[in-house]
Amino acid sequence: MNFLLRNATLIDLGAPADVTADLAVRDGLLLPASELGSEEFQELEGCVVTHGFMDMHVHLRDPGQTYKEDMESAARAAHRGGFSDVLAMPNTVPPIDTPSRYLELMERAASIRQVRIHQSAAMTEGRQGRRMTDMEALAAVGVLAFSDDGSTPQDRHLMRDIMQAAAELQRPIIDHCENLSLSKPGVMHEGAVSRELNLPGQPRLAEESIAARDIELAQDTGCRIHLQHISSAGTVKLLREAKRHGLSVSAEVCPHHLFMTDEWCKTHGTNAKMAPPLREESDRQALLEALCEGTVEVIATDHAPHAAAEKARGWMEAPFGIVGLEAAVPLCLDGLVNSGRMSLRQLIDRFAAGPRRLLNLPLEPVATGSPINRLTLLLPEAPHVIRVANFASKGRNCPYDGWKCLGHPFFIESTENPE
Ligand SMILES: [Zn+2]
């Protein structure tokens, strides 16, 4: 399908000003409107064309749990959600912890055209938190970053060895901060709501104590660390402090921690169960502030598909996590930009530039001649309703069904990248 993008706004973060122009999409390429000839096309008014968004925290469930999601369904979900790139976490079955597993996955990923799939590798064998993986060999075959996401080594000595290796290899550690001796057996945030629901809670300290430990180790080793899905005001404080001391520490926040609190656990059942848990309004406000001022540099979804039967097991048994790829951009356009909290340029920075800065990937210019799948198109003020039943993801575990948003990504169905 070809398109005429009338009065489109090109936003390139490397250019001093936005450009308004008539553009075309033909055969999967962004072109000047003058290139459209006699072929059939659809018209689209007032579209924003910008750098491809990257979600640096996605669970493909592939290999091993493809009843939850697979590479193809996740790629379709990412494409529809406005993303050109995803970084997959290595907690698959088996985990991505050897060069051969990494290369096998990347070979399959190379046949996916709609989005570019990047894969992180585990930092401990089997993600068991006991023995380091061969990080040098993994880096040599192209691994960009290391993570045991889902958990983190509890042993401080081992974590120091890992960070020393990562520093030498110049790769970041992507850190799921959770002190298991404090978080278990909690299934939600520890506070008034967990007491009301009579459910075991996870204190903020479960996250903050590991964030503090790893910031200390990053200072000691010179390792670059990225704190995943931060949820508490205390972690924001630690992050701010670390940055003030000039340490290479960054962080991401997930839309669910920006737009929901533990109150949602009363009404949304296990679709409000995630790790780290939804916390309190004061935490939410601290995260919003940190994201807007740039202390938190990345928005990531922690897209975590699960089967409906698994999420139906009740609060104590259901797995943690929700899907995010097809909801994140509408939620953020509505709740961050159209609400007046941040500019569209700032949002583009958090979705497109932040992850690439951390992963040492180039931010490609927004220019005619680019494959449309490498860019993100937005209709920043168009009304949109999040409909879980329409998701391309196999996961239906999402608390936002029926949410009305102003603004959504625009995707061009079944576009293949021209070779
Ligand atoms: Zn995690």
Side-chain angles (χ1 to χ4, degrees):
M1 181 54 72
N2 302 314
F3 283 86
L4 174 63
L5 310 178
R6 210 179 275 290
N7 292 313
T9 307
L10 266 129
I11 304 183
D12 187 319
L13 296 180
D18 304 344
V19 175
T20 303
D22 289 347
L23 297 166
V25 179
R26 197 190 64 203
D27 304 327
L29 290 175
L30 182 73
L31 298 167
S34 58
E35 300 263 326
L36 269 187
S38 56
E39 59 271 64
E40 251 184 67
F41 58 83
Q42 276 184 28
E43 251 186 78
L44 191 66
E45 175 79 28
C47 173
V48 165
V49 181
T50 190
H51 307 282
F53 285 4
M54 177 167 195
D55 185 352
M56 64 175 289
H57 192 154
V58 171
H59 298 280
L60 301 179
R61 307 299 190 205
D62 191 350
Q65 294 176 310
T66 52
Y67 66 96
K68 295 180 196 249
E69 190 80 291
D70 59 45
M71 199 185 277
E72 288 75 18
S73 60
R76 278 197 302 279
H79 179 63
R80 284 170 167 237
F83 295 96
S84 66
D85 291 67
V86 298
L87 178 68
M89 290 298 116
N91 64 336
T92 48
V93 185
I96 308 302
D97 60 356
T98 63
S100 62
R101 283 182 187 155
Y102 172 79
L103 290 170
E104 190 267 337
L105 193 127
M106 291 311 286
E107 196 183 313
R108 287 201 289 133
S111 66
I112 303 274
R113 293 278 166 246
Q114 289 171 316
V115 299
R116 202 153 32 185
I117 294 175
H118 309 264
Q119 175 67 54
S120 57
M123 51 200 188
T124 68
E125 292 176 4
R127 287 182 51 254
Q128 300 283 311
R130 293 199 198 99
R131 281 164 48 103
M132 236 166 92
T133 52
D134 190 345
M135 290 169 61
E136 193 178 342
L138 285 160
V141 294
V143 168
L144 293 175
F146 294 93
S147 180
D148 268 6
D149 182 40
S151 57
T152 205
Q154 303 293 296
D155 184 280
R156 188 181 283 254
H157 193 116
L158 174 62
M159 196 58 173
R160 184 166 178 269
D161 289 346
I162 289 168
M163 285 204 203
Q164 269 171 343
E168 261 169 50
L169 297 166
Q170 301 185 359
R171 296 292 190 283
I173 290 297
I174 301 188
D175 201 7
H176 169 113
C177 297
E178 180 177 348
N179 186 327
L180 293 175
S181 61
L182 287 168
S183 65
K184 287 203 183 287
V187 293
M188 64 172 291
H189 169 66
E190 178 189 279
V193 179
S194 68
R195 286 190 285 277
E196 188 184 328
L197 296 176
N198 201 21
L199 289 169
Q202 297 188 5
R204 294 182 183 90
L205 191 62
E207 173 178 300
E208 293 160 1
S209 58
I210 295 289
R213 178 197 77 173
D214 291 349
I215 288 169
E216 212 172 52
L217 290 175
Q219 180 162 28
D220 180 58
T221 58
C223 179
R224 210 145 44 90
I225 63 167
H226 176 73
L227 310 177
Q228 297 183 284
H229 45 47
I230 67 170
S231 69
S232 99
T235 309
V236 169
K237 225 170 134 188
L238 291 165
L239 174 69
R240 208 173 265 136
E241 197 67 13
K243 289 196 158 196
R244 194 156 39 228
H245 285 100
L247 301 181
S248 297
V249 179
S250 59
E252 71 193 24
V253 69
C254 301
H256 44 265
H257 292 123
L258 292 175
F259 301 122
M260 292 190 285
T261 64
D262 60 349
E263 291 287 331
W264 288 77
C265 298
K266 296 182 191 171
T267 48
H268 285 68
T270 58
N271 278 338
K273 179 179 178 182
M274 50 275 274
L278 299 174
R279 298 204 189 268
E280 296 175 26
E281 183 60 20
S282 53
D283 299 290
R284 192 177 86 86
Q285 291 301 332
L287 294 172
L288 281 166
E289 190 191 338
L291 179 71
C292 292
E293 75 191 13
T295 302
V296 170
E297 297 166 52
V298 171
I299 303 172
T301 69
D302 192 3
H303 179 80
H306 293 293
E310 294 172 321
K311 274 296 204 184
R313 281 179 201 149
W315 267 101
M316 290 309 294
E317 301 297 327
F320 293 92
I322 61 168
V323 291
L325 282 170
E326 290 164 271
V329 174
L331 288 171
C332 291
L333 282 169
D334 185 80
L336 298 175
V337 178
N338 288 317
S339 69
R341 279 196 176 260
M342 60 163 59
S343 69
L344 188 53
R345 273 187 166 245
Q346 283 175 310
L347 187 80
I348 293 167
D349 177 81
R350 307 300 184 266
F351 268 122
R356 292 186 176 89
R357 270 197 301 271
L358 176 79
L359 296 165
N360 267 325
L361 293 169
L363 184 68
E364 289 157 18
V366 185
T368 52
S370 306
I372 201 72
N373 287 353
R374 300 270 69 85
L375 301 166
T376 286
L377 304 186
L378 303 169
L379 291 170
E381 285 165 25
H384 178 76
V385 182
I386 297 174
R387 294 271 180 235
V388 173
N390 295 340
F391 282 0
S393 170
K394 292 183 187 175
R396 294 288 180 268
N397 48 316
C398 173
Y400 315 117
D401 192 36
W403 277 40
K404 295 186 176 72
C405 299
L406 265 195
H408 64 90
F410 182 78
F411 66 97
I412 297 177
E413 193 72 80
S414 74
T415 42
E416 297 269 309
N417 270 348
E419 289 302 308

